[in-house]
Amino acid sequence: VGVKISFSGIAMDSGGGGGDKDKKGHKKRTKGVKATKKKEKRIGQVDKHNPRANTFSGGAKSVAKRVRYTLEKQGKKLRAPKVDKNPEVPPPFIVVVQGPPGVGKSTLIHSLVKHYAKQRLIQMRGPVTLVSGRQRRITIVECPQEMSAMLDLAKIADLVLLLIDASYGFELETFEFINILQVHGFPRVIGVLTHLDSFRDNKQLRKVKKTMKHRFWTELYDGAKLFYLSGLQYGRYHRIEIQNLARFIAVQKTPILSWRQSHPYVLALRWEDQTDPTASETAPRRLDLYGYVYGGRFREGSEAHLAGVGDFHIASIKQLPDPCPPPMETEAERKRAQSRKPDEKPKKKNALRTLAERHRVVYAPGSDIGSITVDSEAMYIYVPEQKVGFTAKEGEDKENQDGEDLPEAVQMVRKLQAAASLDEAMAARPSLRLLGNTKVTLSAASEGQRERRPAPVGGAVGVGSDKEEEGGGFDDEDVEEEGPEDDELVEAHKRGVLEKARRRFVQAPRLEDVVYGAADVSYFGGSTGSRAPAKAPEKATDHKTVPLFDEEGEEDEDEQRNGDRKLSLSNLLGNMGDLDGLDTARMPTLPGEGGSWDEERREALKAKKFITGGWSSAEEEEDDEAAEGAEGKRKDKVEGEEEEEKDGEGDGEAETGGEVALKDEKANYDGFEGFSGYPIATFVRVRLEDVPAACVAEMKRERPIILGGLLPGESRLGQVQVRTKRHRWHPKLLKSNDALLLSVGWRRFQTVPMFSLEDRGEKRMRYLKYTLEHAHCTMTSYGPMVPPNTGVLAFRSWEKVGHFRVCATGVVLESAPNFEVKKKLKLVGEPYKIFRNTAFIKNMFSSDLEVNKYMHAKIQTVSGIRGEIKKAESTKGQFRATFEDRILMSDLVVCKCWINVPPKQFYHPVVDVKDWRPARLIGELRAAKGVPVPDSRDSQYGKQIVRPERKFNALKVPKQLQASLPFSAKTKFQGKKKKTALSKKTAIVSSERDKAVNSLIQRLYTVRKEKARVRQESSARRKKTKEVKDKFIQDKRDAHAQETKKKRYIKEGQQESQKRKAMMMD
């Protein structure tokens, strides 16, 4: 049996019995201040500290005041709801990469393209659009070093990657761009530190990272993300670092900014000059811009501003197929394509958890991606020098080009290169036949003549001939692939196809006649009647018509019975357009229209496309018989869904530059398409007319081109008031009537502003010669009117200088035709006659007309005596005035006036050409002309005019008046007594004894004064020493008394507790 020994409240088991251990109980505190307070509180002896703290005091007024305060606090937190106008599939997310030269912008873009698209970007010239997620695409733009490009990209950027050279530090370009972003909307910003591999010491590297992070936070906000790129690997940044950066880019949200939500804009991913080649070089150009619509609907005919060029009316807008479709649309198109192939086995469903290779689409026109460059005119394939083997090199001898030492493949390719062309072969062999069994030979009569193929009016000619070969001709290779085992079937098939081709070329019906049933065409190419051309439609169309109303039922049944026959004929003959007409590339049916239209689908389409909704023609007959005749004459046909199949081999492009003619939803809505505009995320081609040739010649693919829409009224010129403040880093104050470069809205222009300050009580805007040092003022300038709350940036010059280029920032307050800015004017005159309170003033005006204009105006002397102008006295400007007191002849009379100062109407748009020159500043003009700075004494700031002290005559009070005054009002001033003639003549001469006595008395006084000073100093020293000693002794006494007091309190407490225990009170 174990024995438990208890010690100090702890149970310990000394044996092996294994009993439960007792836990140490909590011992309540019985001594000290805290225990005493708890005890008194429990007993109820202590009241609450502040019983009125949690109750209303002051009655109903205090309650109402508290309620108002709470409501005001809640009202300050309220914000106007922001509506995101972007559709479910938004346009590409614009990522701007900015940084000083040599910081690694191109390397970062190459790394991001390699991460997203798994392709190599050799050279970047222009924006790069690629797929980054299931519903997300990004457009990466490299920001050039020009200030104009920085301003343009800051207005459209959704995310900015600020690259910073860690080995050098922050540069002015970075801070300038941050300030530009803050004024023009402030999108998302991520910092990226590069050149970190230049630090060898880890301690120094950590210190630099911490310092630059906190400096970056100071400019943006605490917690701003800053990435670190440690070094390069295979010419790109490390894969893991780029992957982390790409993840942060993927989760960034599009900023909802009021300016962008109200102004549509397009970032030109590609541009083309579509001017007639026969026009002169200086003639106005026709410019086509290709890009996605952002911000709002773009409407044809509306006004837009092309940054760096000017304002234009949009000549035309055309919707084009998306060159970089999102993966969800790609998968939907793929499913539709599979649904049209019933024999094909369904493939494994892709849930789009990861992007497949077919989804990683890159659209970078003008850039070299994967050794391929797409230009507006051609496609170039880049082959490295070390891989060129089939072309003879420059240093290689001509004799050894076809030598035996070369490989056999190289010899064969070089022989083909040196062989005659196809035209020469045709001329040499006039009996050359197209097919083996035909007797038709290729004629050489047209040698040297070029057959012209005019383009259709509605659109451009297809780039490649894939569709023409696919639908309009016969390929001999296809026959060889049919199967060489059965030669008889192949020969029979050839003869049948040749017979059908002969019938086609002999009598070629129109494609419209075949599709829409306007001509009687038999399956075997029967006669179409006369060759008289039918009335050509205004617009070429390939739409399939779907009957929706009952009166067309009989016709539609016939068309459905012959549908399969016409479809097979269309598939066989391909493009059966007029041989003498325009060349077109058509498809037999639209993708996705192979299936039949059931009744439910027709009713849904009818309700969607027509006002009548789901009414049938029978109901219309009952309601209105008169409308029945009109309905019978009208042809109600509705087009099917608009879905263009995107073929992987590029067969979907049918126009120059990758354009495909998209069909309108309904023919009757053609006129409303331009009015409603093209929605956000639509890939469009915008055509601008009369663009200056000099501007087009200066356009570069590396420089971003932005077309921004203008609201009604933004094209008018007027005066704009801006609440502005000089930037704290700009070294100089801004001067009124000095030229400034402004960035307002989409525009960049130069103007001559005028600064003012709101006077007391909003009475007037007072003219300022210079901006305030550290406060806001109002800037009034002449230029295009813009809505309020628009950001404004001001620059003195865009050239790179040693100081900060942004000189002022502000926000638009109001736009109006004119504003009144007043300047203070002081008219100064002198009195020439004074009669008591009336005086006659001169030298203030020059004629009596001016005096009459200022009649009854308030005037004032420098000494403060107020007066009023009464009447003109002569024709030279003298007038009579009255004052509240008598003035002196030495007084100056001042008339304070305010005159209106109109701002100068100077508007000079910035055009991005080399020959554009801004208006020079006043200082530059003075330096160029050698004109000195005018030094006007009245215009010097800070230098007060020093006037001599004025001496006034003594106040003379008459004796009679002084006698009647009380004693307190009588004059107390008594002047020096005048010396009489006798006192002036009397002279006091001291004797030698008097001089000796006076000298002795003076010495004795000096000695006594010195003794008193020494005695005072020694007394002060003794007093100070005594105070220190007494303080030491007193401190000892206080400490002893405190200790004694503490011991006495302890003893008394013990005695008290013993008494309470004895009395069993505790």
Side-chain angles (χ1 to χ4, degrees), residues 100 336 401 563 625 649 706 717 775 930 995:
R336 287 193 293 268
Q401 288 182 8
E625 295 180 358
E649 300 176 356
I706 298 168
L717 294 178
K995 291 181 180 179

Side-chain angles (χ1 to χ4, degrees), residues 722-988:
V722 180
R723 184 173 179 265
T724 183
K725 182 182 179 182
R726 182 188 69 89
H727 200 280
R728 64 187 186 278
W729 290 347
H730 192 70
K732 295 182 179 180
L733 294 176
L734 304 182
K735 187 177 180 181
S736 292
N737 297 329
D738 204 1
L740 283 181
L741 292 163
L742 299 183
S743 171
V744 185
W746 302 121
R747 294 185 175 91
R748 308 188 305 269
F749 58 91
Q750 191 179 32
T751 185
V752 178
M754 185 171 58
F755 300 102
S756 59
L757 188 64
E758 193 174 3
D759 215 341
R760 314 170 195 147
E762 300 181 2
K763 287 184 178 180
R764 64 181 69 89
M765 299 301 295
R766 184 161 56 89
Y767 175 83
L768 293 177
K769 189 175 181 181
Y770 296 97
T771 56
L772 302 177
E773 185 74 22
H774 300 294
H776 287 84
C777 62
T778 303
M779 180 178 68
T780 306
S781 61
Y782 182 78
M785 295 186 179
V786 290
N789 296 329
T790 303
V792 178
L793 274 168
F795 303 85
R796 288 171 62 91
S797 175
W798 286 349
E799 298 179 359
K800 288 193 175 182
V801 291
H803 56 77
F804 202 70
R805 287 181 286 182
V806 179
C807 61
T809 59
V811 63
V812 174
L813 296 177
E814 188 181 358
S815 300
N818 53 6
F819 290 102
E820 287 189 356
V821 178
K822 296 187 178 296
K823 185 177 181 180
K824 185 166 61 176
L825 178 65
K826 287 184 178 180
L827 303 177
V828 182
E830 302 171 358
Y832 66 93
K833 286 183 184 180
I834 299 175
F835 298 100
R836 294 190 178 180
N837 292 356
T838 302
F840 294 88
I841 313 299
K842 64 179 181 179
N843 297 336
M844 183 177 288
F845 302 108
S846 59
S847 66
D848 56 345
L849 295 177
E850 294 181 2
V851 176
N852 293 332
K853 186 177 180 180
Y854 282 86
M855 193 174 293
H856 302 293
K858 304 299 180 182
I859 56 178
Q860 189 177 6
T861 63
V862 176
S863 58
I865 302 175
R866 295 170 295 184
E868 183 182 0
I869 298 175
K870 288 298 185 181
K871 188 178 180 182
E873 289 297 323
S874 67
T875 58
K876 295 184 179 180
Q878 292 88 349
F879 62 91
R880 177 170 57 88
T882 58
F883 294 89
E884 60 185 2
D885 199 358
R886 180 185 175 89
I887 66 173
L888 302 177
M889 293 292 291
S890 59
D891 280 333
L892 294 178
V893 182
V894 179
C895 180
K896 297 180 180 180
C897 307
W898 294 91
I899 60 171
N900 193 18
V901 184
K904 296 182 179 179
Q905 295 188 357
F906 177 75
Y907 173 66
H908 185 28
V910 177
V911 182
D912 294 336
V913 294
K914 294 181 180 178
D915 298 334
W916 185 84
R917 293 290 181 269
R920 288 183 289 182
L921 305 176
I922 296 176
E924 295 175 353
L925 290 173
R926 286 173 180 161
K929 301 296 182 182
V931 178
V933 179
D935 187 12
S936 178
R937 189 177 180 184
D938 294 336
S939 299
Q940 291 178 354
Y941 279 77
K943 295 182 179 180
Q944 302 295 334
I945 299 175
V946 180
R947 295 185 176 90
E949 185 178 356
R950 180 118 180 244
K951 294 183 179 180
F952 295 94
N953 297 329
L955 181 62
K956 295 181 179 180
V957 182
K959 292 183 179 181
Q960 296 180 357
L961 179 61
Q962 189 174 5
S964 61
L965 289 176
F967 179 79
S968 60
K970 288 184 178 181
T971 305
K972 306 297 189 300
F973 177 76
Q974 293 180 357
K976 295 182 180 180
K977 294 181 180 180
K978 294 182 179 180
K979 292 184 178 182
T980 61
L982 181 61
S983 63
K984 288 182 181 179
K985 294 179 180 180
T986 305
I988 300 175

Side-chain angles (χ1 to χ4, degrees), residues 71-83 256:
L71 293 177
E72 288 176 0
K73 200 171 183 180
Q74 294 176 357
K76 290 179 181 179
K77 296 180 181 180
L78 295 178
R79 296 289 182 273
K82 294 183 178 180
V83 181
I256 303 176

Side-chain angles (χ1 to χ4, degrees), residues 4 36 124 151 182 188 194 213 218 305 323 360 563 580 605 665 687 773 792 844 872 889 914 939 998 1009:
K4 291 185 179 180
T36 306
M124 180 180 179
L151 289 170
Q182 290 172 343
R188 317 291 181 185
T194 59
K213 180 180 68 173
T218 303
H305 178 80
R360 301 182 184 275
D580 300 328
L605 186 61
E665 289 185 354
R687 174 161 293 178
E773 185 74 22
V792 178
M844 183 177 288
M889 293 292 291
K914 294 181 180 178
S939 299
N998 293 335
K1009 188 177 180 181

Side-chain angles (χ1 to χ4, degrees), residues 483-496:
E485 300 175 354
D486 196 352
D487 296 338
E488 296 180 1
L489 293 176
V490 172
E491 292 296 330
H493 181 70
K494 283 185 179 181
R495 286 194 297 271

